[in-house]
Amino acid sequence: MKRRELLFIFALLAALVLVPLLASNLLINFLVTALIVALAAQGWNILGGLGGQISFGHAAFFGTGAYVTELLQLRFGVNAWLAALVGIGVAAALGWTIGAAVFRARLRGSYFALVTLAFAEVLRILANALEFTGGATGLLLKLQPGAAQFQFESRAVFAWIAIAVVGVVLLLTRHIANSRFGAQLVAVRENEDAARALGVDIIATKLRAITLSAAITASAGVLYVQYFLYLDAQIGYGTWISIEALLAAIIGGVGTVAGPVIGALALHALGELTKGFAGSITGIDLVIFGLLLVAAVAFAPAGIVGAWKRYVGGRRNA
Amino acid sequence: MNYPPAIIAEAMVNGLLTGSVYALVALGLTLVYGVLHIINFAHGALLTCAMFAVWALVTFTGISPYAAILPLALAFFAGGYVLQRYLIGPASHGDDSNILLVTLGLSIAIENALLAAFHADTRNLEGDFGFQVIELGPMLISRPKLIGFAAAVAVAGLLWLLLARTDTGRAIRAVAKEKLGARLMGIEVGHIYGVTFGIGCACLAVAACLLMPSFYVNPRVGNAFVLVAFTIVVLGGMGSVAGALLGGLFIGMVESLGGLLLGDSLGQLGIFVIFILVLLFRPTGLFGARA
Amino acid sequence: MTIINQEIIRMSTNITLPAVSRRTLLGATAATATLGMPAILRAQPAPVKLGILQPITGALAQDGDLGRFGAVTAIEEINAAGGIKSLGGAKIEMVFGDARSNPEAGTQEVERMQAEGVCAIVGGFASPICLAASQAAARYNLAYVVDVGAADAIVTRGLTNTFRFGPGIGIVTKTALANLVALNDAAGKPAKTVVLVHEDGAFGSGLAKLMQTELPKLGFEILETIPHPTPARDMTNVALRIRSLNPDLLIPSSYYGEFVLLARTMQQQHIRPKGIYSVLNGAASNFRFVKEFPEAAQGVMDCNHWADPRKPNTAMLRKKADEAGKAWAYNIPLNYSCVRLAADAIERAGSVDREKIVAALTASNFAGHCMPYGATKFEGGQNQGAQPVNLQVQGNDIKVIFPAAFAEAKAVFPFKG
């Protein structure tokens, strides 16, 4: 079973790596956008899936990663790669700080969800108002393709970078899931009191999870800004990415290793496919998208990965 | 910036009046939240739906938006009941994260169905509802907002009576407190869930009738009220009717004064900062215990 | 007619291999046509594909819908008049893309249009979408004509494929201020104090920032700058502050819903400054506002994109919009004109070759549009003649009051309600 999972991860990565070789830019661009969301969802999954702390505010980390990366380049002339690392670091620190405040206050469940949302909103309002962050006009990164600037003429190269990051996080997630830390996280998710009785330091465990989670989601923000080269408060800190991250993770399979990636790819493919239904009535495509989402939950409540496991398990038992 | 006291007083009154409608939106949310323990992402889309219903009813039949309150509330109660009992409930298998997804999917579907049906245009009720004022000393108080305030307080009162004094109310409170126990007592939990969701939707219908005379509607407008409604729910204590009303009035005031002193954009910051502080230091809400 | 429409509105259903499947489909149709049709139809040249990008769902859906209408009308008209003549009367086929009100979706649609073989793209509406989409199109040297997006960065960052037909925010502000001074001077300088109200997104904040630096230089005193979010739940506070400050002039830059709320509240609160002089406002030059709230709208001035009322296709376009039940707003004539501009470039290029189309746009001096600009002349991608005009709500109509060359009526200022 364990080895099968590893095999699956490598097969998935291999398939993804091949795509830019074979497909058109249309598909590569689709892949990059979906992988950015996948990465945000992978970050969400560490805290929300493994740790059971459902956040509505991962935009706070996505946006911080993106803003710090872009601001360091624009305002201080820092090299893009270094800026990206700092961006991820700052977002991780933000994650730890929010976690320290929120977990000490013992906020759980929907309280936790709402307070993370409020943090993201505060950041959005500030980024939109402050001169330093470009205000509402946003920040435009200068178009200068070149590996040193973390910009690439070819979409394929960028796709490979995104695949590499997603791959690293996949392996990391798998490692965590099988580690002592992972077991502690799951214990916290299932029953905090029992975990405490077993000697798990609840707050420390959650803090580690939110810090790591923030760093991973921030790397999605970094990729976003290096790919699209434009950032404003709505993109960085808007609710859209918080929702896409949790949506992809839950649709794919909460707390599973590959769930967020599969969920993001499936959701974005669904979004593209339903576009064809729009015809002449504006909005019909998204109505269908929404209803399919409901249907997916109704018929695959444990996500795509969960449904697959049940299907495989059912066949083996039969 | 120094403002004369009359302006500050007027801003406070206006904040209270606006807050009362927020309270009404939050009432529906707090009930659903307190009883079903779910975060209803479709709340905003359902409010938009109600606002379009008011717009269509008033525009095509010519009745007053206030006359639409009763029929729309009943219709939305029925619609909400059906939605929860036969769609949200079964589709989510009672799992919290799935309820999130189902209500999220519904909100996307509803919002875009409204877009398909009514197009993206921003619409207002025609006529002079919005312009009537009542002079109160130096203050000019908007009449539709005053009516909204009275109606919101009345609805909160009715809801409180319903929860405190009727069998259905007792059943709702029992389910909210202890689902399993309630089931053992012979309460049909699925039915109570439906009723609660229905009441939540009826509150939205009333809020829509009170909002439309002075506001506008387009397929996305409901979202503007959702975040603030969540804030109110938390401030008031989840599931508390009186808390939602007080929380609504309070947030209305904060927003109004914050807007006056900091500008309307940064004024929004006040709401979220208060929200975070309350959650960190007094998570049961500002106004007493949970229902 | 319906067949043309279906052809135009057709969209891709297949994301993986749209180019191949579409080509196969067209190939099959062409084959059957050759067998059964008379020779004259067989000679019909391949259609020219033109990408139209608009946000028709999401927050900007209202604008996107109007923009699409303008573009479709232009395409129908060009096709009815015999298509692109230098390509043997080739018809324009619209490849429509919904930008879903965000830059990522806009980029994805540009990629799809590229895969479907469009020869140019028109639209975008919002600045973030235009920035992302024009950049994506630049990878393929695909000509991109911006319809509205006013951020100056769109044309100042050196993309050679990007052309903006309308004015950018810098030109708009400059014109708005020059016209304001002229207006005020002509009336004997009744206005000295100003309150700025703006939505806190890119366009409102950008305008306000420029105004804040320029207005004092022109002798106006800014009493206060009031930003507000979109959507705003309540504009009473803004109105109260205006009442307390009692400015001579109010300069608002907001979207439709918020400005209507503000204007209604001001009427309710009996607040009447000497003038409301809005810039790029969503409502002040919208006929629905005038129709629904004639009293609140009376005398409101706006400096905005607007069709030249004296050009013949303006009246035709407005009639079509009325028939289709579309509100008459600037998106329609701007997109109509942008599509005609692109078609003219293809006509002169005599080819769907991208280099040639970009070169034709660069050298464009197209006058067959319906905006008050004169013939187009692009420098660094910006149409030099592009300018906004001043409008005023008078009676139940919106009249051009400035500049004199295009004016239909005299300004009523100061306005006594």
Side-chain angles (χ1 to χ4, degrees):
Chain A
M1 192 62 206
K2 292 281 176 203
R3 185 171 304 150
R4 189 192 287 272
E5 195 178 66
L6 202 58
L7 214 64
F8 176 76
I9 291 175
F10 280 115
L12 179 68
L13 287 175
L16 288 175
V17 166
L18 287 180
V19 170
L21 288 178
L22 306 172
S24 65
N25 266 352
L26 171 67
L27 191 55
I28 299 174
N29 181 63
F30 162 81
L31 187 66
V32 173
T33 317
L35 285 179
I36 289 174
V37 170
L39 200 52
Q42 283 180 306
W44 186 93
N45 190 44
I46 300 281
L47 184 66
L50 295 177
Q53 312 298 312
I54 295 197
S55 147
F56 284 179
H58 260 52
F61 312 131
F62 180 88
T64 301
Y67 263 107
V68 172
T69 305
E70 180 152 8
L71 282 170
L72 282 177
Q73 291 177 70
L74 283 178
R75 303 265 192 265
F76 306 101
V78 174
N79 171 276
W81 295 91
L82 183 62
L85 285 181
V86 178
I88 292 170
V90 172
L94 177 73
W96 186 89
T97 314
I98 291 179
V102 170
F103 294 137
R104 293 237 158 82
R106 304 191 173 205
L107 294 183
R108 283 196 270 171
S110 39
Y111 289 95
F112 177 74
L114 290 172
V115 81
T116 50
L117 177 64
F119 274 110
E121 280 294 296
V122 166
L123 289 170
R124 185 182 64 78
I125 294 170
L126 286 176
N128 195 56
L130 296 179
E131 195 80 30
F132 181 71
T133 49
T137 326
L139 298 169
L140 192 63
L141 209 52
K142 206 172 157 215
L143 184 66
Q144 41 183 181
Q149 289 86 4
F150 202 157
Q151 292 181 26
F152 302 96
E153 200 68 69
S154 138
R155 289 212 190 281
V157 176
F158 205 94
W160 280 320
I161 291 178
I163 293 166
V165 182
V166 166
V168 168
V169 178
L170 269 176
L171 294 175
L172 180 70
T173 310
R174 181 172 181 275
H175 174 73
I176 291 174
N178 295 331
S179 73
R180 195 180 145 76
F181 170 48
Q184 288 170 338
L185 263 181
V186 172
V188 168
R189 177 182 75 194
E190 296 303 327
N191 189 334
E192 283 197 14
D193 296 328
R196 194 176 291 114
L198 287 171
V200 177
D201 185 340
I202 307 279
I203 290 181
T205 308
K206 285 183 180 173
L207 273 180
R208 275 174 81 183
I210 197 173
T211 309
L212 191 61
S213 173
I216 296 171
T217 298
S219 65
V222 170
L223 288 184
Y224 183 99
V225 79
Q226 291 303 128
Y227 189 67
F228 290 101
L229 305 180
Y230 175 77
L231 182 63
D232 64 23
Q234 180 55 36
I235 293 171
Y237 290 123
T239 45
W240 74 277
I241 187 68
S242 300
I243 288 176
E244 287 230 18
L246 79 96
L247 202 57
I250 298 177
I251 278 283
V254 173
T256 60
V257 173
V261 182
I262 293 172
L265 290 171
L267 268 178
H268 277 241
L270 187 63
E272 290 297 318
L273 286 171
T274 51
K275 270 187 195 169
F277 293 112
S280 52
I281 308 172
T282 308
I284 282 296
D285 51 338
L286 290 170
V287 174
I288 294 171
F289 177 81
L291 293 178
L292 283 176
L293 193 60
V294 174
V297 178
F299 297 111
I304 298 172
V305 173
W308 173 251
K309 278 186 180 156
R310 208 173 49 181
Y311 170 73
V312 173
R315 253 192 353 184
R316 206 170 298 144
N317 293 340
Chain B
M1 192 67 223
N2 284 320
Y3 290 99
I7 294 280
I8 294 183
E10 203 165 339
M12 286 172 75
V13 170
N14 179 58
L16 280 181
L17 299 187
T18 314
S20 67
V21 181
Y22 296 172
L24 212 47
V25 178
L27 270 180
L29 202 59
T30 201
L31 262 189
V32 172
Y33 211 83
V35 177
L36 282 71
H37 303 291
I38 64 168
I39 292 183
N40 178 14
F41 262 129
H43 205 65
L46 288 167
L47 175 64
T48 316
C49 200
M51 287 168 82
F52 266 113
V54 177
W55 178 83
L57 209 59
V58 171
T59 306
F60 296 124
T61 67
I63 61 167
S64 142
Y66 301 118
I69 290 181
L70 199 61
L72 274 184
L74 287 175
F76 267 74
F77 174 80
Y81 182 90
V82 171
L83 202 60
Q84 163 61 30
R85 184 107 208 239
Y86 299 106
L87 189 70
I88 300 176
S92 54
H93 308 276
D95 178 87
D96 280 0
S97 59
N98 281 340
I99 293 174
L100 281 185
L101 288 194
V102 170
T103 54
L104 197 62
L106 273 180
S107 79
I108 296 172
I110 293 173
E111 190 180 289
N112 286 285
L114 291 171
L115 177 67
F118 294 97
H119 306 295
D121 306 357
T122 294
R123 291 160 203 272
N124 296 279
L125 287 188
E126 287 190 52
D128 55 356
F129 303 108
F131 298 112
Q132 295 161 357
V133 285
I134 292 161
E135 288 188 37
L136 206 77
M139 293 191 252
L140 298 170
I141 306 297
S142 158
R143 186 158 164 264
K145 283 193 172 170
L146 209 59
I147 295 175
F149 179 80
V153 173
V155 169
L158 278 175
L159 211 54
W160 184 81
L161 275 178
L162 178 101
L163 286 176
R165 296 289 155 84
T166 65
D167 285 343
T168 313
R170 276 180 217 112
I172 290 176
R173 283 186 297 145
V175 172
K177 263 213 181 81
E178 185 52 64
K179 189 164 69 175
L180 201 64
R183 187 170 281 140
L184 291 176
M185 297 280 292
I187 296 172
E188 202 187 334
V189 174
H191 171 70
I192 292 298
Y193 275 11
V195 169
T196 311
F197 202 89
I199 294 175
C201 288
C203 285
L204 286 180
V206 180
C209 293
L210 301 177
L211 265 173
M212 276 312 284
S214 60
F215 208 67
Y216 63 85
V217 58
N218 64 37
R220 296 173 51 82
V221 76
N223 297 329
F225 292 88
V226 174
L227 269 186
V228 80
F230 271 119
T231 318
I232 291 165
V233 167
V234 170
L235 281 181
M238 305 200 188
S240 157
V241 170
L245 186 62
L246 289 174
L249 299 179
F250 178 71
I251 284 292
M253 292 262 280
V254 168
E255 184 180 68
S256 196
L257 290 177
L260 201 61
L261 300 173
L262 293 170
D264 278 52
S265 296
L266 280 179
Q268 300 291 315
L269 212 55
I271 298 179
F272 290 109
V273 171
I274 289 179
F275 180 69
I276 291 173
L277 292 178
V278 167
L279 270 180
L280 290 184
F281 298 108
R282 211 190 142 88
T284 47
L286 274 188
F287 306 106
R290 275 180 254 185
Chain C
M1 203 59 193
T2 47
I3 293 171
I4 294 174
N5 272 334
Q6 277 169 5
E7 177 70 14
I8 285 172
I9 294 170
R10 200 165 54 151
M11 290 186 210
S12 160
T13 53
N14 189 331
I15 61 145
T16 44
L17 295 165
V20 174
S21 64
R22 173 62 46 81
R23 210 163 291 142
T24 328
L25 200 67
L26 279 179
T29 329
T32 38
T34 336
L35 287 175
M37 296 286 161
I40 187 149
L41 278 182
R42 214 185 303 153
Q44 178 75 15
V48 172
K49 291 182 180 177
L50 183 65
I52 302 294
L53 180 68
Q54 288 291 336
I56 56 164
T57 54
L60 309 170
Q62 189 169 0
D63 286 288
D65 182 57
L66 296 176
R68 174 173 64 175
F69 178 79
V72 169
T73 310
I75 294 174
E76 283 174 354
E77 209 178 282
I78 293 162
N79 286 346
I84 306 287
K85 300 194 178 64
S86 65
L87 290 171
K91 297 276 188 278
I92 295 181
E93 179 188 318
M94 173 164 92
V95 177
F96 184 77
D98 175 8
R100 290 189 172 171
S101 303
N102 68 66
E104 306 88 66
T107 306
Q108 182 64 16
E109 286 306 297
V110 169
E111 291 290 351
R112 187 173 62 75
M113 290 171 181
Q114 153 71 14
E116 292 201 21
V118 301
C119 65
I121 297 175
V122 174
F125 180 66
S127 293
I129 299 175
C130 293
L131 283 167
S134 60
Q135 185 181 307
R139 286 174 180 271
Y140 309 110
N141 198 25
L142 189 55
Y144 190 100
V145 180
V146 172
D147 59 340
V148 179
D152 282 326
I154 294 173
V155 288
T156 55
R157 59 178 174 159
L159 296 180
T160 50
N161 70 318
T162 305
F163 300 88
R164 181 165 59 202
F165 174 68
I169 214 161
I171 303 173
V172 170
T173 317
K174 226 171 97 188
T175 315
L177 289 172
N179 291 355
L180 173 62
V181 169
L183 201 68
N184 197 33
D185 287 354
K189 299 200 179 191
K192 288 186 184 59
T193 55
V194 177
V195 165
L196 298 171
V197 172
H198 68 90
E199 66 91 34
D200 64 4
F203 111 82
S205 304
L207 272 173
K209 217 187 311 176
L210 289 171
M211 293 275 185
Q212 276 175 318
T213 45
E214 295 304 319
L215 276 173
K217 291 183 201 162
L218 299 168
F220 292 96
E221 184 196 349
I222 300 178
L223 298 178
E224 180 122 48
T225 305
I226 310 175
H228 68 81
T230 308
R233 289 180 292 265
D234 182 30
M235 293 293 275
T236 312
N237 256 317
V238 177
L240 283 177
R241 292 169 82 182
I242 296 169
R243 198 176 81 193
S244 144
L245 294 160
N246 194 24
D248 298 328
L249 205 60
L250 174 68
I251 304 187
S253 307
S254 309
Y255 291 108
Y256 184 84
E258 282 68 32
F259 182 70
V260 172
L261 271 187
L262 178 63
R264 288 170 72 184
T265 315
M266 283 176 61
Q267 188 195 337
Q268 188 185 53
Q269 298 277 336
H270 309 306
I271 306 167
R272 256 307 182 186
K274 286 175 190 152
I276 299 179
Y277 186 87
S278 62
V279 181
L280 291 185
N281 204 301
S285 29
N286 187 315
F287 275 98
R288 174 163 327 113
F289 177 48
V290 179
K291 201 181 108 226
E292 290 182 354
F293 303 105
E295 225 174 301
Q298 257 346 283
V300 172
M301 292 177 282
D302 193 14
C303 183
N304 212 331
H305 314 288
W306 197 250
D308 184 346
R310 302 164 315 168
K311 290 199 173 156
N313 38 14
T314 301
M316 173 282 304
L317 195 56
R318 191 163 156 186
K319 192 164 146 266
K320 280 190 179 160
D322 286 345
E323 282 166 7
K326 304 283 179 192
W328 178 246
Y330 62 78
N331 311 63
I332 297 177
L334 262 179
N335 275 282
Y336 171 87
S337 301
C338 286
V339 167
R340 301 224 49 153
L341 166 73
D344 171 72
I346 299 167
E347 180 78 67
R348 282 182 300 106
S351 152
V352 290
D353 180 82
R354 291 174 178 187
E355 301 254 333
K356 286 185 183 153
I357 291 175
V358 168
L361 274 169
T362 311
S364 173
N365 63 342
F366 175 65
H369 55 74
C370 56
M371 301 302 286
Y373 300 166
T376 52
K377 179 168 172 279
F378 286 102
E379 266 175 40
Q382 173 62 47
N383 179 16
Q384 295 302 307
Q387 57 167 353
V389 298
N390 280 41
L391 307 153
Q392 188 170 35
V393 179
Q394 297 185 356
N396 52 10
D397 205 355
I398 297 173
K399 300 281 196 196
V400 178
I401 53 166
F402 227 83
F406 303 100
E408 301 167 284
K410 271 189 132 43
V412 182
F413 178 75
F415 186 80
K416 291 177 190 71

